[in-house]
Amino acid sequence: MSSFARFIRPAIGAWALLLLITAVPAPSAAQQVNPTASSVNERQLLQEMDRIQGRVSIPDQRSSVLMQPAGREWREFRNVALRWIGGVAILGMLAVLVIYYLTRGMVRLESGRSGRTIVRFNTFERFVHWMTATCFVILAISGLNITFGRPLLLPLIGFDAFSEWSLWAKFAHNYLSFPFTIGVVLIFLMWIGGNIPNKVDLEWIKRGGGLFGHDHPPARRFNAGQKGIYWIVVIGGGLVAVTGYQLMFPFYLTGIEGMQIAQIVHSVVAVLFIAAMIAHIYIGTIGMEGAFEAMGSGEVDINWAREHHSLWLEQQSAQPQTHRAASAAE
Ligand code: HEM
């Protein structure tokens, strides 16, 4: 072989090799991931492929997706945003009530007790109220356990006790949803007549509902604040019921996005509902003298009715004695 050929051959070889390397594109990072390799981890897969998906042999192919972007966003909402919304709403409401109680104290019966009473809620109304209220309190505690139990309760009581309690709490949450829903429907039907907003409510709101100072704005059977509670119960109760049954019977009516929306609506409405009912429970117990009797014995002192529901008392007084108890329900 000539010395020229000896020189040119390796040079051509090197040039061809260089061409080959630059012509074949470098495999992308995504192609480098072998999802079945034992060393591959979730974080790597999510970075490269945006989802973790495998293969399943059951008919529902959607179950092969273990993680995907919308799922991660929902999990972020569930573990972070929801806890903030719930924490701020519930603790915020408790803080406002503590401050109000410390500055204003209990709203007293200013004219004292007359010793004469008038029927405010009949036996059926009180039964429906307490059935709904009992279910609500248990639903609220068991629901809050789902949102806050892991970070707050688990470290305190340990895995065994937490899983046992959570199991019973979940049973209670599922089964008590039925009497609660019936209660909300009955409350809607029983009290709709007294809860349609009117111009008396505007005056009541303008005067701050008598919450500050010693004012007693006139009100019919339900004042504007109580009408607010009524509509929160009806609309909030309706929303948690509809979305709750969607969660209880998954994928019957909707796909994965619908399930996520149902969970978001259910949980956000529930924590706001709980905050509102804390205010209601406050005013029905330590917040206002004489209020609890309305739902306890069903009768209130005439002076209480005059101070808080003057137009209702006038209307009741104008009716013959025999009609009063029956029309108290109107
Ligand atoms: C568990 C503690 C509760 C207490 C101590 C309580 C107390 C009361 C009292 C005293 C009244 C009568 C107010 C009046 O005569 O003007 C009332 C009314 C009412 N309650 Fe409750 N309640 C409780 C829970 C609930 C719950 C959980 C709900 C619904 C989920 C509810 C829904 C209502 C509604 C819609 C009214 C009529 C409107 C109003 O007065 O605000 N209550 N409650």
Side-chain angles (χ1 to χ4, degrees):
M1 194 184 290
S2 73
S3 58
F4 174 74
R6 238 183 287 139
F7 167 77
I8 202 75
R9 248 201 223 151
I12 290 174
W15 180 70
L17 195 66
L18 194 73
L19 256 187
L20 199 69
I21 290 169
T22 49
V24 178
S28 75
Q31 286 164 320
Q32 287 170 349
V33 176
N34 172 7
T36 53
S38 58
S39 63
V40 80
N41 63 31
E42 282 184 14
R43 182 172 296 280
Q44 229 180 323
L45 274 172
L46 280 171
Q47 266 166 6
E48 308 303 342
M49 295 172 164
D50 214 24
R51 59 173 53 214
I52 297 181
Q53 182 163 9
R55 270 189 294 271
V56 288
S57 54
I58 58 172
D60 185 1
Q61 289 303 310
R62 285 170 309 182
S63 62
S64 66
V65 180
L66 285 180
M67 240 186 247
Q68 37 89 18
R72 291 203 301 285
E73 279 155 25
W74 172 79
R75 188 181 55 182
E76 185 70 6
F77 160 81
R78 163 74 180 67
N79 291 345
V80 182
L82 175 61
R83 286 180 182 153
W84 273 102
I85 297 169
V88 169
I90 293 171
L91 296 179
M93 179 59 80
L94 286 171
V96 167
L97 292 174
V98 168
I99 292 167
Y100 181 75
Y101 186 73
L102 293 178
T103 50
R104 171 69 164 85
M106 183 187 242
V107 175
R108 292 279 172 197
L109 245 177
E110 297 205 322
S111 44
R113 285 180 185 271
S114 70
R116 286 185 304 134
T117 59
I118 179 169
V119 175
R120 185 144 170 81
F121 295 109
N122 65 32
T123 312
F124 180 70
E125 288 174 299
R126 281 178 286 136
F127 168 75
V128 171
H129 174 270
W130 289 119
M131 177 189 78
T132 317
T134 310
C135 293
F136 181 90
V137 170
I138 300 172
L139 287 167
I141 293 171
S142 51
L144 289 176
N145 183 58
I146 300 172
T147 303
F148 294 103
R150 225 163 214 285
L152 298 184
L153 193 60
L154 173 65
L156 295 179
I157 63 174
F159 279 105
D160 289 347
F162 182 71
S163 61
E164 185 79 359
W165 142 250
S166 297
L167 185 69
W168 286 106
K170 185 65 187 121
F171 279 140
H173 201 83
N174 283 1
Y175 287 110
L176 290 180
S177 67
F178 296 103
F180 173 75
T181 309
I182 294 171
V184 169
V185 172
L186 290 174
I187 284 179
F188 168 67
L189 297 173
M190 273 184 333
W191 292 333
I192 176 80
N195 280 290
I196 306 294
N198 55 42
K199 56 181 186 311
V200 180
D201 300 323
L202 289 179
E203 177 67 12
W204 190 91
I205 292 167
K206 260 191 239 157
R207 287 164 63 174
L211 289 175
F212 307 97
H214 296 270
D215 191 16
H216 293 297
R220 294 191 184 152
R221 190 175 189 213
F222 296 113
N223 61 39
Q226 292 173 309
K227 287 181 184 179
I229 291 293
Y230 171 86
W231 288 109
I232 287 172
V233 170
V234 169
I235 298 170
L239 283 172
V240 288
V242 168
T243 50
Y245 293 126
Q246 237 172 294
L247 296 172
M248 208 189 288
F249 303 103
F251 300 107
Y252 276 91
L253 296 175
T254 168
I256 187 77
E257 294 84 9
M259 290 298 295
Q260 288 177 345
I261 292 168
Q263 192 280 336
I264 291 169
V265 173
H266 189 79
S267 55
V268 172
V269 172
V271 290
L272 300 180
F273 197 175
I274 291 169
M277 293 327 285
I278 290 174
H280 170 75
I281 293 168
Y282 166 81
I283 204 80
T285 52
I286 57 168
M288 180 185 280
E289 186 179 5
F292 189 82
E293 294 152 32
M295 273 302 164
S297 66
E299 293 181 15
V300 290
D301 194 278
I302 294 280
N303 283 352
W304 184 90
R306 187 169 295 118
E307 285 180 18
H308 300 296
H309 298 274
S310 54
L311 301 175
W312 174 71
L313 180 66
E314 276 170 28
Q315 184 205 351
Q316 292 297 301
S317 308
Q319 290 177 355
Q321 191 81 31
T322 43
H323 288 165
R324 277 184 206 161
S327 63
E330 286 160 17

